[in-house]
Amino acid sequence: MKRASTISRRKFLGGAAALGAWGLAGCAGISTGGSGAGRLPERGEFVIRNAYVMTMERAVGDLPNADVHVRNGQIVGVGASLAAPGAQMLDGRGMIVLPGLVETHWHMWNTLLRSMAGDRKEHGYFPTARTLGEAYTPDDNYQGTRLSAAEAINSGITTVHDWSHNIRSPEYAEADLRALRESGIRARFSYGAAQGQSTEAPINTSDIERLQRNWKTYSNEGLLTLGLAWRGVSTSATGAISGAVWRKDLDAARTMGIPVSVHAANARARAGTIEVFAKEKVLGKDLQVIHAIWVTPAEIRALAESGTAVSLSPYTELRIGFGLPKTGEFLAAGVPVGLSVDTTTLSGNADMFAIMKAIQNVENVRHEDEFRLPARRVLELGTLEGARSMGLAAQVGSLRAGKRADLIMVNTRDVNLGVFSDPSHMLVEAAQPANVDTVVVDGRILKRGGRLTAIDVGQVVNEASAALTALRKRANWW
Ligand SMILES: [Zn+2]
């Protein structure tokens, strides 16, 4: 089965190359059947000419009139007047070219429940995600993740961390992975428990081991990696996890050598969790802690000393009332920091420009200081530092020869971006997903001229809408 689909994909790509079809512009809907990634554009060779290039490499900085040359998924040159004979030319005039935005924690399955956290307690985020999550089919997982991936690419996000915490059977994991694979996005897929799963029931580690054994068939040529979405020692939805269970889940991931991610100290009631992690030897370079809002200086030091990364999602933290992210304290201590969407059930959308703006504004108001968190530093969190926090900085997060080609072009001629002033301030304060003209992931052009090239947005939205209607009927949730 898998072998056959690989061959047919090669044939397809060969056919596309013969036609010289750059990205099959806007016509190829992602199929919902079969094993998947048959319709991604070929990688090819192109050069972006005469753009304002923000390399996000501190030693290089910005190149105001430069080119970026990409071949077979890799950046092969960044600089002025590059020789690139035979390469397709993309006009970079009026464009800022920068690394693709890196997202670090997102429950992609529940974009099917976009903006559904209501105004009454029984319709809050946690009961909504749990009740509807328990009624999900594998296809609902597929629909939610596919809609998320489409939105990510449209918004200039080239890497996501798919925190999949509603895996009710292996089919749910398969459906989620298929959506990622078909979209062409770069992702860590973190395998989690199901919504409503007993705190006495360990995660399905044998299924994670099965995926790891066969990862070559899932990884989409290295674009996807595997991790554990760990429940930790307690969760907001279910309370304490028994010691034997959390340890079993964690030990399984560490034996497999896959990275671990966990929500912790998000609410006042869960303060002290990082101290417990430190005591129990949970912290480490393979761990990402999400939110970590209710932390002491000693706990921040423990995170820094152990090399533990944090992921901050200002819009959900604000919207649900968790508290204000401690961005500056983490950065001052040397903790790797990434930014995240978390869930569009609460945040509404996946606008990383807005997320950067929120993280800057919250930090400045906490210190009553206009200059506390500079725009350039925030942009690093959304690109290279976010990649570093995910262990991906050697591959992506900045523009230099040798790295994988994940980049975006932002049109500064749009009405909300003219005039050209300070580019990092423009991106953090003024830019929106609508300004993202072009998105490249691993050398594939997935958005061009403001349109997705490999995803039929109408089809994706129609199918997701039908899935939500059926889901609400099954769950009797209105
Ligand atoms: Zn989360």
Side-chain angles (χ1 to χ4, degrees), residues 105-107 125-126 163 165 262-263 266 290-291 313 316 322 340-343:
H105 133 252
W106 186 355
H107 312 296
Y125 171 67
F126 289 111
W163 220 97
H165 64 343
V262 63
H263 297 85
N266 49 357
I290 298 158
H291 304 308
S313 58
T316 63
F322 281 157
S340 54
V341 170
D342 190 356
T343 167

Side-chain angles (χ1 to χ4, degrees), residues 9-20:
R9 177 161 174 272
R10 284 217 187 98
K11 261 191 192 158
F12 176 83
L13 293 178
L19 291 167

Side-chain angles (χ1 to χ4, degrees), residues 16 56 61 82 85 100 150 196 206 218 238 249 302 397 473:
M56 299 313 290
L82 298 177
S206 64
Y218 292 99
T238 58
D249 291 353
K473 210 173 276 176

